[in-house]
Amino acid sequence: MPIREGTFADLTMAKSVSPLRMVAKPYLPLLPLVAGLGVLVSLLDGLGVGTLVPLAATMLAGDAQAQAGQPGPIGLVFRLAGTIPEESRVTVLGGMALALLVLRGAVQAGNNVLIAFIQSRFVRDLHNAMAERLTGVEFAFFLREDKIGRAHV
């Protein structure tokens, strides 16, 4: 629908929310996925570095039996780690920490790829919507709004 009358403010403010919402609408369902992947990255980082490394240090110090009596999830982790044979505890816990860090890196890379995909597609769609909107404006509008006289060639 061509815009025939008005000023630059009319062009930019008229229906300014609606076209942007229309451009962003296909990408809104992906926002919870991006947020969820970000939370998953944080959880994997906390579990890998924040839990398993101190657990291995505690196991090496020999306090595992005292810590196994702790209530809640930390006690469960110590009880599960206590089932690993002593000669291979450090190797198993180190391997688990490394595997969690690799998994964290993979999830973070996937999240970054998804964010780049959304960003590039959104900018492309926004550019196309702006170009479509400007091509619908009559040339007289640009002559009227040109303040420095370049369009009067």
Side-chain angles (χ1 to χ4, degrees):
M1 175 171 118
I3 299 173
R4 299 192 195 298
E5 296 294 325
T7 64
F8 182 72
D10 292 337
L11 177 65
T12 57
M13 298 305 287
K15 301 180 184 178
S16 63
V17 175
S18 180
L20 184 59
R21 187 175 297 155
M22 290 175 57
V23 170
K25 190 173 184 176
Y27 306 105
L28 291 178
L30 295 174
L31 291 180
L33 179 61
V34 169
L37 287 173
V39 169
L40 181 61
V41 165
S42 296
L43 289 174
L44 288 171
D45 193 35
L47 183 62
V49 174
T51 304
L52 291 179
V53 172
L55 177 66
T58 305
M59 292 279 188
L60 287 173
D63 295 338
Q65 298 302 328
Q67 295 293 336
Q70 294 288 329
I74 192 69
L76 176 66
V77 169
F78 274 103
R79 285 191 293 277
L80 288 175
T83 62
I84 301 170
E86 273 189 54
E87 59 273 0
S88 61
R89 270 187 201 157
V90 174
T91 307
V92 170
L93 291 175
M96 288 173 55
L98 182 63
L100 285 171
L101 287 175
V102 168
L103 180 62
R104 173 197 169 271
V107 172
Q108 188 171 16
N111 196 22
N112 288 342
V113 167
L114 179 62
I115 290 170
F117 170 78
I118 293 169
Q119 180 181 3
S120 65
R121 293 291 175 103
F122 178 75
V123 169
R124 184 201 64 197
D125 291 349
L126 187 60
H127 179 265
N128 290 342
M130 287 173 22
E132 185 178 315
R133 179 112 182 207
L134 284 174
T135 56
V137 177
E138 290 185 358
F139 188 66
F141 169 80
F142 294 105
L143 291 175
R144 194 172 47 250
E145 290 299 319
D146 184 26
K147 303 297 184 205
I148 58 174
R150 282 192 231 158
H152 301 292
V153 178

